[in-house]
Amino acid sequence: MTEKFLTIREMCDAYDVTARTLRFYEAKELLFPVREGQKRLFTKRDQARLTLILRGKRFGFSLEDIRQLLDLYDMENGEHRQLEASVQMAEQRVDEMEAQRAELAVAITELKAQIDWGKGTLAGNNVKEAAE
């Protein structure tokens, strides 16, 4: 049974990324497509790696964090190591995101207060202007 390869165009369509993104990930040694001349053919492994890269980026992980996690898979007992490291990094990221959410909640409350103050000030000026 032969492996099903995807071309760069098929990868772009399947994962909603640009060819430039795929070439960038290849240059950063996150993806390793098979080369046939100038043509890049992406394996199932590349497809799985891209899924993890995109998920990691969505969660706010750096490319270096993602690379470290992906590289763990290739080590002895890699799947287990990768899962352990993923859980640890995910817990840290959740903590960071929750702290950011708390900071955003404070900023939103303060900004809404400024908006209310501004509207109140404008309404007060409109009343004064109408009286004059």
Side-chain angles (χ1 to χ4, degrees):
M1 186 166 164
T2 60
E3 184 171 8
K4 167 74 170 110
F5 295 104
L6 293 184
T7 65
I8 199 164
R9 176 59 30 222
E10 291 169 327
M11 286 287 281
C12 291
D13 292 343
Y15 293 92
D16 195 26
V17 296
T18 64
R20 183 176 181 199
T21 297
L22 293 174
R23 288 189 297 271
F24 176 77
Y25 291 153
E26 180 184 2
K28 293 294 183 180
E29 298 182 341
L30 293 167
L31 297 176
F32 304 94
V34 175
R35 294 293 206 119
E36 284 185 1
Q38 293 295 326
K39 199 175 191 181
R40 290 173 172 87
L41 299 173
F42 294 87
T43 64
K44 286 281 188 193
R45 183 173 188 261
D46 289 315
Q47 294 168 51
R49 288 174 71 93
L50 182 58
T51 298
L52 294 173
I53 292 165
L54 296 175
R55 186 177 298 152
K57 292 299 294 171
R58 188 175 70 242
F59 294 153
F61 291 110
S62 71
L63 284 181
E64 185 54 35
D65 290 339
I66 294 166
R67 175 198 325 287
Q68 289 173 11
L69 288 174
L70 291 172
D71 288 348
L72 284 174
Y73 188 81
D74 295 327
M75 299 174 73
E76 184 179 332
N77 198 15
E79 195 171 344
H80 182 77
R81 285 178 162 187
Q82 186 184 47
L83 185 55
E84 281 182 334
S86 295
V87 167
Q88 182 182 12
M89 288 176 75
E91 287 174 337
Q92 290 172 338
R93 185 66 187 129
V94 166
D95 290 344
E96 292 168 3
M97 291 170 81
E98 287 177 341
Q100 289 173 335
R101 180 173 55 190
E103 291 172 12
L104 277 172
V106 169
I108 289 168
T109 299
E110 290 175 359
L111 186 55
K112 284 181 176 180
Q114 284 297 115
I115 291 169
D116 290 344
W117 174 84
K119 285 180 177 179
T121 300
L122 288 171
N125 285 340
N126 289 341
V127 171
K128 287 180 186 176
E129 291 172 5
E132 293 175 0

